[in-house]
Amino acid sequence: MERCAARRAPEEERRVRANAREYNEKFQYASNCIKTSKYNIVTFLPVNLFEQFQEVANTYFLFLLILQLIPQISSLSWFTTIVPLVLVLTITAVKDATDDYFRHKSDNQVNNRQSQVLIGGVLRQEQWMNVRVGDIIKLENNQFVAADLLLLCSSEPHGLCYIETAELDGETNMKVRQAIPVTSELGDTSKLARFDGEVICEPPNNKLDKFGGTLYWKENKYPLSNQNMLLRGCVLRNTEWCFGLVIFAGPDTKLMQNSGRTKFKRTSIDRLMNTLVLWIFGFLVCMGVILAIGNAIWEHEVGVCFQIYLPWDEGVHSAFFSGFLSFWSYIIILNTVVPISLYVSVEVIRLGHSYFINWDKKMYCAKRRTPAEARTTTLNEELGQVEYIFSDKTGTLTQNIMVFSKCSVNGHSYGDVQDVLGHKAELGERPEPVDFSFNPLADPRFQFWDPSLLEAVKLGDPHVHEFFRLLSLCHTVMSEEKSEGELYYKAQSPDEGALVTAARNFGFVFRSRTPKTITVHELGRAITYQLLAILDFNNIRKRMSVIVRSPEGKIRLYCKGADTILLERLHPVNQDLTNVTTDHLNEYAGEGLRTLVLAYKDLEESYYEDWSERLHRAGSAPEAREDRLARLYDEVEHDMMLLGATAIEDKLQQGVPETIAILTLANIKIWVLTGDKQETAVNIGYSCKMLTDDMTEVFVVTGHTVLEVREELRKAREKMMDASRSMGNGFSYQEKLSSSKLTSVLEAIAGEYALVINGHSLAHALEADMEVEFLETACACKAVICCRVTPLQKAQVVELVKKYKKAVTLAIGDGANDVSMIKTAHIGVGISGQEGIQAVLASDYSFSQFKFLQRLLLVHGRWSYLRMCKFLCYFFYKNFAFTMVHFWFGFFCGFSAQTVYDQYFITLYNIVYTSLPVLAMGVFDQDVPEQRSMEYPKLYEPGQLNLLFNKREFFICIAQGIYTSVLMFFIPYGVFADATRDDGAQLADYQSFAVTVATSLVIVVSVQIGLDTGFWTAINHFFIWGSLAAYFAILFAMHSDGLFQMFPNQFRFVGNAQNTLAQPTVWLTIALTTVVCIMPVVAFRFLKLDLKPELSDTVRYTQLVRKKQKTQHRCMRRVGRVGSRRSGYAFSHQEGFGELIMSGKNMRLSSLALSSFAARPSAGWIETLRKKKGSDSSAAGSPSAAPDKTLKV
């Protein structure tokens, strides 16, 4: 397996000789073995430990462990640190090993696939991993292509073969590849074994749509293009067999070149925690220095006087050295400000959140029997902070199922649903579909709702007949007839399949084709047309034509293409018909349908013969062949006669428009990155409501050079600024540009804009000197669609936003072409759809439908972020409250590193007494119910702004913890100074003081978590009250006679807890400490709720109001009219929210109007924080910030 990872110098060109392994091996080309795993048996332990010790906390605890092994300074047993540290490292290592095991399993499965390799004139079965560059391999129908091959010959005429490229570009349609003529005759193994041609071509690269090279054979050279290549990951279809020469293998194949590396993903909270741990360690060192200095001074001034009965330890000869040792002792004692239990608890909480995602029945697809799956446990809270979503189109937003919906023929529109009287039916009044039983070859799955089109066919309307004749002839679909009358169409695009199927059902059945003929059954009569030429589709032409000769000898050109291209190529006599058809096209486009215009032209025999001769010469020209062919195509496709137009619906997945609308209202920007053509992507943009007719402008960037792209982007920005100026925003474009904050430029833009950019333009836009301009322009737009992009470009766009926006990104896709993007984004989501499971295997989360993304983010993500933030805030609070008591006690114990609590309380505090309640809150807590999270998308914004746990919140938590520790120590200390027992004896002994402080601490932190818990379950009650009960049970047990008799050296203070807690003074002290610690928190939260409520508070309030309304409405029904009037009057006393309730805005909102929630006092503080965040990102060097940082309510 090691050869998989061999490193080589970059190539300038590749030379490959067929059937010559020795010659090819001197170039040290990569083998066909692939490796996606991270570890092997030897490297697992060191590499995994290295990754784990990148966590600052793990390094910190290792350092503490080393300190505890030194007897002179250790004040706690070493096992208190090593056991939890080893446990954490082991759990994480097992999880990582399991993940990598499945990667190894997947690699082995692929590498051990079998392939037929021609060796010594004989076909031998070889594993994929043993295939070498220069080998000739045989592929059979439905087999995966093992490596990047030059197609030599096939079972089809003219060396044709058909492939499916779903693994590469996400498209499930078939594509045609053809061998060059000179090798297409090498049909048997003996001829292939003697083939010794040499290929000189480009080095390995990631460009899926380009290949350049030359074949040298028999002293001749033959140009090679992408049309001659079969790429790894493709599947051979409708072709019995083919032979290919391996050009690129393994990691050099274009599929692997487009696969991003597996990255170690961390959440922003993880990164923040690493920083905070460093700060806390610095704080710990400061406390240690203060106490060490205090120890040195005390020993020098006071301790020296007590050397007789308090001698210094052996080896300590000065107060300075005593202080030095004291420093390390305090570092060990005070280390609980960040206990290792924090990291164990975080992993447990994340695991719980992952199970909630896996168990969510509302994200289960019954049709495919596919549940949602959290494939990682480390990113859950980051689901609540997403600002950018990058989505694939085909199979992610759409079902990739095309349906012939409407058409326009000779100025008459067909396809509207009609009622029994022939009028256009209202929505929801859909009658029976058209009956195609007259046609035995009809596709039973095809449905059409307008019977008038079938009537026109049956009545012999010549325009309708010619319309469907064009659809049955002008295409590159392959037909397969498995049994008589059972036709299966294999189309290059789903659109073509839908159009040919429509013609089939209306009586014009495409039956079969050869390279020179097409056979069509027209209303039951078989007619064979001679296929003279195919003028194929490409991105520039945006049309496709065929030239056929009918049985009567008539030559006719049939053409279909984009309306923008075809309408300008019509004969002037079509003007009136063109106007009517254009109206129909606009109507169809407004419904989000994909449209094509159909036209034809009769050709004279003499003209065709001349044109055909020129076409042949252009096709064999050594230079500028493509340009010459394009000119000839353009010449013949003029002065055509308009037939009509088609409208196809690319069915969206269920709930896509609503999901996009809701996520947009949650201030999440959605970019579509697709390998599909521009027209298709734009149509889907309109269908899913990303693009709307209400938008100010949709900018389309199609430049082919750097200068063209830069100019188009500049013009787009200028138009946005001009429109903003004209709406009176108060200052000029130049003033905006001179502003130090680029954010203000983007925020000042008025109107809604969209950006559509093609792959070749995007390649220039992503260059280092233009990427900032592209990002500024894109972020100023509401919607961004990138078309014809390669898998690597998808990843580059994601990386660009990550680099400059400092925002959490999520990528979602369903095909192998999305893997690179999924790995690059902070969070990768795989759709388990029609295109294999590569995206799912590379993802962090997976489910079967795009609409589940809404629930994943707005419910699970938001709750996970909320819970994790509350957990961390409380955890730091309770540990500072616990640990800082030692610091204050140091000033009263001669800085001797004596602990306030006994060793067992210190060990059990974070493991037993306070661990379960905070875990319950971290796993189960919620501020509002799940349906409210979906109704009010604005609730998602605090996560994007990182409001719930940041450096400010951290300092507030530790300040509260320090405040609590001060009261926890000094109130009992002050009381115990003069307090006596019931029998008059002095109360102030060390153990009684320790029990009192420990009991106060456990009660205070338990009350505090009760205040922090927003959603009470039986588990919360059990853990909180159970932890308190466990504390008292263990406390009394440790001071009992039984333990003393068994372990007299360990449990010396018999009866101390019973005697201490029997004193009323102690309980009054505990009560006073609890009240003084908790009351300021209660008062602050009450005032904040009343004066400056957050949106979640407002939503909870409306929830209570609804419940009250329901109760009062029930009362109204019981007591009649008088009670009704009184109840109605009572509603008006809901001060501050009456207008909100009466407006209905607080009630269940429609899916497209969810952001219209009532204006509230908290809008201002979120707005302020948005602006502050924008200024911070500008100061950090960000080229731009999000264009819409204002909270819309």
Side-chain angles (χ1 to χ4, degrees):
M1 274 290 191
E2 286 308 308
R3 61 192 168 184
C4 294
R7 297 249 178 128
R8 295 165 289 113
E11 299 176 38
E12 293 184 3
E13 68 175 16
R14 173 157 293 207
R15 290 175 171 268
V16 179
R17 187 176 295 172
N19 296 311
R21 279 197 173 187
E22 290 184 6
Y23 173 81
N24 296 320
E25 281 175 359
K26 71 181 182 182
F27 297 107
Q28 296 184 328
Y29 295 138
S31 75
N32 205 37
C33 173
I34 63 163
K35 179 175 180 284
T36 61
S37 54
K38 291 166 63 177
Y39 316 108
N40 59 35
I41 294 175
V42 176
T43 63
F44 174 73
L45 201 58
V47 173
N48 188 261
L49 286 175
F50 173 75
E51 285 180 349
Q52 290 202 58
F53 281 113
Q54 283 183 311
E55 293 280 0
V56 176
N58 288 341
T59 309
Y60 166 67
F61 291 121
L62 181 65
F63 173 68
L64 286 176
L65 176 61
I66 294 168
L67 289 182
Q68 285 181 294
L69 295 174
I70 302 171
Q72 287 83 357
I73 61 173
S74 179
S75 48
L76 293 171
S77 300
W78 59 269
F79 65 82
T80 59
T81 299
I82 195 169
V83 172
L85 178 61
V86 169
L87 183 65
V88 170
L89 295 176
T90 303
I91 292 171
T92 308
V94 168
K95 180 174 72 70
D96 291 342
T98 305
D99 290 344
D100 208 56
Y101 166 75
F102 287 111
R103 291 193 200 100
H104 272 287
K105 192 174 178 182
S106 174
D107 289 347
N108 289 334
Q109 183 181 356
V110 172
N111 289 329
N112 290 316
R113 284 178 180 169
Q114 296 294 308
S115 186
Q116 297 181 67
V117 182
L118 187 64
I119 301 176
V122 180
L123 284 172
R124 296 181 184 174
Q125 290 287 339
E126 289 280 357
Q127 295 173 328
W128 276 23
M129 61 192 292
N130 295 327
V131 170
R132 295 287 179 271
V133 170
D135 286 352
I136 293 176
I137 65 176
K138 181 182 181 181
L139 293 174
E140 295 180 345
N141 195 29
N142 297 326
Q143 281 188 349
F144 278 95
V145 179
D148 288 358
L149 310 177
L150 170 66
L151 178 61
L152 297 176
C153 57
S154 76
S155 58
E156 301 299 304
H158 308 287
L160 292 172
C161 77
Y162 304 92
I163 56 171
E164 189 177 278
T165 61
E167 294 290 322
L168 282 171
D169 56 19
E171 296 181 7
T172 54
N173 49 285
M174 286 205 303
K175 294 180 173 61
V176 181
R177 294 291 182 264
Q178 186 171 14
I180 58 174
V182 71
T183 64
S184 61
E185 306 302 325
L186 302 174
D188 60 70
T189 53
S190 59
K191 290 180 182 178
L192 288 164
R194 293 193 297 273
F195 177 65
D196 60 352
E198 184 171 1
V199 174
I200 299 178
C201 65
E202 62 190 22
N205 60 71
N206 53 46
K207 295 175 181 174
L208 294 174
D209 57 345
K210 289 185 179 178
F211 176 80
T214 306
L215 170 64
Y216 293 85
W217 189 40
K218 293 182 178 178
E219 299 182 355
N220 291 316
K221 59 180 184 179
Y222 308 93
L224 304 175
S225 71
N226 199 50
Q227 281 297 109
N228 311 124
M229 296 294 293
L230 305 180
L231 303 184
R232 180 181 180 129
C234 299
V235 181
L236 192 67
R237 300 290 192 200
N238 288 4
T239 307
E240 190 177 335
W241 54 260
C242 73
F243 283 90
L245 172 66
V246 178
I247 305 295
F248 302 121
D252 291 343
T253 60
K254 292 184 185 285
L255 175 67
M256 297 306 295
Q257 290 278 311
N258 273 287
S259 295
R261 293 184 61 190
T262 302
K263 296 187 178 180
F264 187 58
K265 294 185 178 181
R266 281 194 183 90
T267 67
S268 56
I269 285 183
D270 280 337
R271 292 189 291 272
L272 177 60
M273 280 171 57
N274 278 350
T275 304
L276 297 181
V277 167
L278 287 174
W279 288 4
I280 291 171
F281 185 72
F283 181 66
L284 181 59
V285 169
C286 291
M287 289 194 295
V289 168
I290 292 169
L291 294 169
I293 293 171
N295 177 269
I297 294 172
W298 192 89
E299 291 289 355
H300 184 267
E301 299 292 333
V302 181
V304 73
C305 304
F306 298 93
Q307 286 293 304
I308 297 172
Y309 66 92
L310 276 179
W312 285 335
D313 293 336
E314 186 179 345
V316 178
H317 306 294
S318 68
F320 173 79
F321 192 65
S322 174
F324 175 75
L325 294 180
S326 176
F327 169 79
W328 296 109
S329 298
Y330 271 114
I331 290 293
I332 293 171
I333 290 173
L334 300 174
N335 82 82
T336 49
V337 283
V338 184
I340 198 165
S341 61
L342 168 65
Y343 289 89
V344 178
S345 302
V346 164
E347 290 303 317
V348 170
I349 289 170
R350 285 173 171 167
L351 184 65
H353 295 167
S354 298
Y355 278 118
F356 288 153
I357 293 171
N358 295 345
W359 295 338
D360 191 342
K361 291 183 179 178
K362 293 181 181 177
M363 293 171 68
Y364 175 79
C365 180
K367 184 178 178 181
R368 295 180 184 166
R369 297 183 180 180
T370 308
E373 182 184 5
R375 298 173 53 79
T376 180
T377 60
T378 58
L379 303 174
N380 294 327
E381 65 270 15
E382 202 143 71
L383 288 170
Q385 298 180 277
V386 173
E387 285 191 59
Y388 286 87
I389 292 175
F390 300 91
S391 174
D392 178 38
K393 180 193 72 67
T394 308
T396 303
L397 299 178
T398 69
Q399 301 177 33
N400 204 22
I401 299 172
M402 306 296 176
V403 177
F404 182 82
S405 181
K406 293 184 179 183
C407 65
S408 171
V409 185
N410 196 34
H412 192 290
S413 180
Y414 299 94
D416 287 321
V417 180
Q418 298 181 344
D419 60 20
V420 290
L421 299 176
H423 301 118
K424 189 172 179 178
E426 296 296 325
L427 193 66
E429 298 180 2
R430 177 159 286 190
E432 289 296 312
V434 174
D435 182 12
F436 292 107
S437 58
F438 79 96
N439 181 2
L441 295 175
D443 187 337
R445 294 167 298 179
F446 178 84
Q447 289 188 323
F448 196 75
W449 306 93
D450 185 353
S452 62
L453 184 57
L454 184 59
E455 289 300 317
V457 172
K458 290 181 176 179
L459 291 173
D461 185 323
H463 298 290
V464 175
H465 280 207
E466 199 64 19
F467 178 90
F468 284 116
R469 186 174 290 116
L470 185 152
L471 293 182
S472 65
L473 292 171
C474 185
H475 56 78
T476 56
V477 172
M478 301 299 299
S479 173
E480 186 178 351
E481 194 163 353
K482 294 187 176 178
S483 60
E484 182 63 31
E486 279 192 53
L487 290 173
Y488 294 91
Y489 290 151
K490 298 292 184 181
Q492 270 195 284
S493 73
D495 304 68
E496 281 209 326
L499 292 174
V500 177
T501 300
R504 168 185 174 179
N505 276 57
F506 281 98
F508 289 75
V509 185
F510 163 62
R511 198 68 184 261
S512 63
R513 73 160 68 240
T514 69
K516 296 296 181 183
T517 64
I518 297 179
T519 302
V520 178
H521 279 225
E522 296 184 0
L523 298 174
R525 188 164 60 95
I527 300 176
T528 299
Y529 292 86
Q530 186 180 348
L531 181 60
L532 302 177
I534 295 178
L535 285 57
D536 212 350
F537 176 93
N538 65 36
N539 283 332
I540 299 170
R541 284 169 40 74
K542 298 183 181 177
R543 60 191 184 277
M544 178 209 172
S545 300
V546 295
I547 300 176
V548 297
R549 191 194 303 270
S550 68
E552 295 81 23
K554 193 176 180 180
I555 300 176
R556 179 166 282 186
L557 176 142
Y558 290 109
C559 183
K560 66 182 182 187
D563 54 353
T564 53
I565 301 296
L566 230 64
L567 292 179
E568 64 187 26
R569 298 173 181 278
L570 299 177
H571 195 282
V573 76
N574 291 275
Q575 190 57 51
D576 293 339
L577 179 57
T578 300
N579 294 336
V580 177
T581 306
T582 301
D583 291 339
H584 292 159
L585 286 168
N586 292 336
E587 179 189 330
Y588 301 156
E591 297 172 21
L593 303 177
R594 301 153 64 99
T595 58
L596 284 176
V597 173
L598 312 183
Y600 71 94
K601 178 183 179 181
D602 288 319
L603 301 177
E604 295 291 337
E605 183 78 35
S606 58
Y607 171 78
Y608 170 72
E609 292 295 337
D610 174 61
W611 181 86
S612 178
E613 178 63 29
R614 287 184 286 143
L615 182 72
H616 179 72
R617 287 200 301 268
S620 56
E623 295 178 356
R625 188 169 71 94
E626 296 295 331
D627 292 338
R628 294 185 183 191
L629 289 175
R631 283 196 295 270
L632 284 169
Y633 290 173
D634 196 57
E635 174 193 318
V636 76
E637 292 169 331
H638 258 99
D639 294 332
M640 294 184 287
M641 303 299 293
L642 179 61
L643 265 177
T646 62
I648 293 175
E649 181 183 2
D650 184 2
K651 284 192 172 292
L652 288 172
Q653 288 190 18
Q654 185 183 0
V656 166
E658 293 82 359
T659 300
I660 287 177
I662 290 171
L663 293 177
T664 302
L665 294 175
N667 200 46
I668 297 173
K669 292 88 180 172
I670 302 175
W671 293 21
V672 172
L673 311 177
T674 176
D676 221 329
K677 61 187 179 186
Q678 179 186 312
E679 292 80 5
T680 306
V682 170
N683 279 328
I684 291 301
Y686 279 105
S687 298
C688 65
K689 303 296 187 283
M690 272 185 69
L691 306 178
T692 65
D693 293 328
D694 298 330
M695 282 185 161
T696 312
E697 188 164 352
V698 177
F699 301 111
V700 180
V701 179
T702 57
H704 285 79
T705 66
V706 174
L707 293 176
E708 288 175 3
V709 174
R710 191 188 301 276
E711 182 65 16
E712 288 178 7
L713 290 174
R714 186 188 62 79
K715 284 181 178 177
R717 287 198 302 279
E718 280 188 0
K719 280 188 179 180
M720 288 189 277
M721 293 301 175
D722 290 342
S724 187
R725 254 202 323 270
S726 66
M727 295 182 74
N729 276 6
F731 50 95
S732 70
Y733 179 52
Q734 286 75 19
E735 287 172 339
K736 290 171 188 173
L737 286 182
S738 63
S739 169
S740 60
K741 292 194 298 180
L742 187 59
T743 311
S744 63
V745 180
L746 300 174
E747 284 181 348
I749 291 172
E752 291 185 345
Y753 298 89
L755 178 69
V756 179
I757 184 167
N758 275 314
H760 52 79
S761 306
L762 186 64
H764 297 305
L766 291 174
E767 290 178 4
D769 61 338
M770 208 194 303
E771 61 181 14
V772 174
E773 293 177 52
F774 166 63
L775 189 64
E776 289 172 14
T777 311
C779 289
C781 296
K782 182 183 177 185
V784 178
I785 299 177
C786 302
C787 320
R788 287 295 183 198
V789 292
T790 66
L792 193 66
Q793 282 180 326
K794 292 184 178 185
Q796 287 172 337
V797 171
V798 176
E799 191 63 52
L800 179 65
V801 174
K802 283 175 65 178
K803 178 180 177 181
Y804 288 116
K805 300 299 294 182
K806 310 300 181 188
V808 176
T809 58
L810 180 147
I812 179 168
D814 69 323
N817 59 317
D818 303 314
V819 167
S820 188
M821 170 177 76
I822 285 170
K823 287 182 176 180
T824 302
H826 291 101
I827 302 166
V829 177
I831 299 278
S832 48
Q834 307 289 332
E835 300 179 12
I837 59 170
Q838 277 68 24
V840 170
L841 292 175
S843 67
D844 304 305
Y845 301 89
S846 69
F847 41 72
S848 62
Q849 293 186 359
F850 182 84
K851 67 177 182 179
F852 295 146
L853 185 62
Q854 172 186 344
R855 186 170 177 83
L856 182 72
L857 298 185
L858 300 189
V859 177
H860 292 288
R862 203 181 72 80
W863 278 353
S864 294
Y865 174 72
L866 170 80
R867 292 162 177 166
M868 186 59 71
C869 292
K870 292 181 75 170
F871 164 82
L872 291 172
C873 288
Y874 176 78
F875 211 96
F876 284 120
Y877 153 76
K878 77 180 180 69
N879 281 290
F880 268 83
F882 164 64
T883 307
M884 288 300 292
V885 173
H886 293 303
F887 180 77
W888 312 124
F889 184 58
F891 290 90
F892 297 89
C893 68
F895 305 97
S896 59
Q898 171 69 41
T899 58
V900 177
Y901 324 105
D902 64 67
Q903 184 169 307
Y904 297 102
F905 180 82
I906 293 172
T907 304
L908 297 175
Y909 177 75
N910 277 308
I911 296 175
V912 177
Y913 302 150
T914 60
S915 61
L916 294 179
V918 71
L919 275 179
M921 182 181 72
V923 172
F924 299 109
D925 201 50
Q926 49 184 268
D927 54 349
V928 297
E930 62 181 66
Q931 60 269 31
R932 301 292 171 259
S933 293
M934 307 276 273
E935 283 178 16
Y936 306 115
K938 289 296 176 189
L939 287 167
Y940 190 79
E941 289 195 359
Q944 296 171 325
L945 295 169
N946 209 20
L947 296 181
L948 302 187
F949 186 74
N950 49 42
K951 291 168 185 174
R952 177 177 172 272
E953 292 296 322
F954 168 73
F955 285 121
I956 291 173
C957 294
I958 62 171
Q960 185 188 353
I962 293 170
Y963 163 79
T964 301
S965 71
V966 169
L967 298 176
M968 200 78 64
F969 177 80
F970 286 102
I971 290 177
Y973 184 83
V975 170
F976 273 47
D978 299 315
T980 57
R981 296 179 182 275
D982 292 342
D983 57 4
Q986 182 70 23
L987 183 60
D989 62 85
Y990 169 71
Q991 277 298 321
S992 296
F993 180 74
V995 167
T996 305
V997 173
T999 306
S1000 300
L1001 176 65
V1002 172
I1003 291 174
V1004 166
V1005 298
S1006 297
V1007 173
Q1008 181 65 47
I1009 199 166
L1011 290 174
D1012 288 347
T1013 301
F1015 181 73
W1016 285 84
T1017 65
I1019 296 174
N1020 292 86
H1021 282 288
F1022 177 75
F1023 281 172
I1024 291 175
W1025 312 126
S1027 294
L1028 276 171
Y1031 166 72
F1032 285 109
I1034 293 171
L1035 180 67
F1036 288 124
M1038 285 195 301
H1039 294 87
S1040 63
D1041 294 338
L1043 276 180
F1044 171 72
Q1045 290 171 0
M1046 287 186 284
F1047 308 102
N1049 293 328
Q1050 297 293 323
F1051 302 97
R1052 303 169 189 160
F1053 301 95
V1054 183
N1056 178 67
Q1058 292 87 330
N1059 292 336
T1060 302
L1061 295 178
Q1063 304 301 317
T1065 306
V1066 171
W1067 282 107
L1068 286 171
T1069 304
I1070 293 170
L1072 176 63
T1073 305
T1074 303
V1075 170
V1076 175
C1077 288
I1078 295 298
M1079 279 309 295
V1081 179
V1082 174
F1084 173 77
R1085 293 187 181 181
F1086 175 79
L1087 290 172
K1088 186 172 180 290
L1089 188 65
D1090 193 51
L1091 301 176
K1092 210 174 186 181
E1094 296 179 1
L1095 180 55
S1096 56
D1097 302 323
T1098 311
V1099 171
R1100 280 199 301 272
Y1101 183 86
T1102 58
Q1103 186 95 349
L1104 294 173
V1105 170
R1106 289 183 199 181
K1107 289 181 180 178
K1108 194 174 292 187
Q1109 284 177 330
K1110 288 178 182 177
T1111 304
Q1112 291 172 346
H1113 278 305
R1114 282 198 292 271
C1115 293
M1116 291 190 316
R1117 284 195 293 273
R1118 289 194 194 102
V1119 301
R1121 280 180 72 181
V1122 177
S1124 172
R1125 288 176 64 186
R1126 276 205 307 273
S1127 273
Y1129 181 73
F1131 288 149
S1132 69
H1133 288 272
Q1134 303 296 341
E1135 282 189 18
F1137 295 92
E1139 183 180 348
L1140 172 68
I1141 297 160
M1142 294 304 293
S1143 69
K1145 292 178 180 177
N1146 64 314
M1147 302 305 165
R1148 185 176 298 275
L1149 304 178
S1150 70
S1151 61
L1152 297 178
L1154 296 176
S1155 68
S1156 58
F1157 187 69
R1160 60 189 187 283
S1162 59
W1165 62 266
I1166 286 195
E1167 190 172 329
T1168 304
L1169 278 158
R1170 277 204 173 284
K1171 291 177 179 175
K1172 184 175 184 300
K1173 185 187 179 195
S1175 64
D1176 289 345
S1177 63
S1178 295
S1182 172
S1184 69
D1188 184 14
K1189 287 292 183 186
T1190 306
L1191 178 62
K1192 295 179 183 176
V1193 293

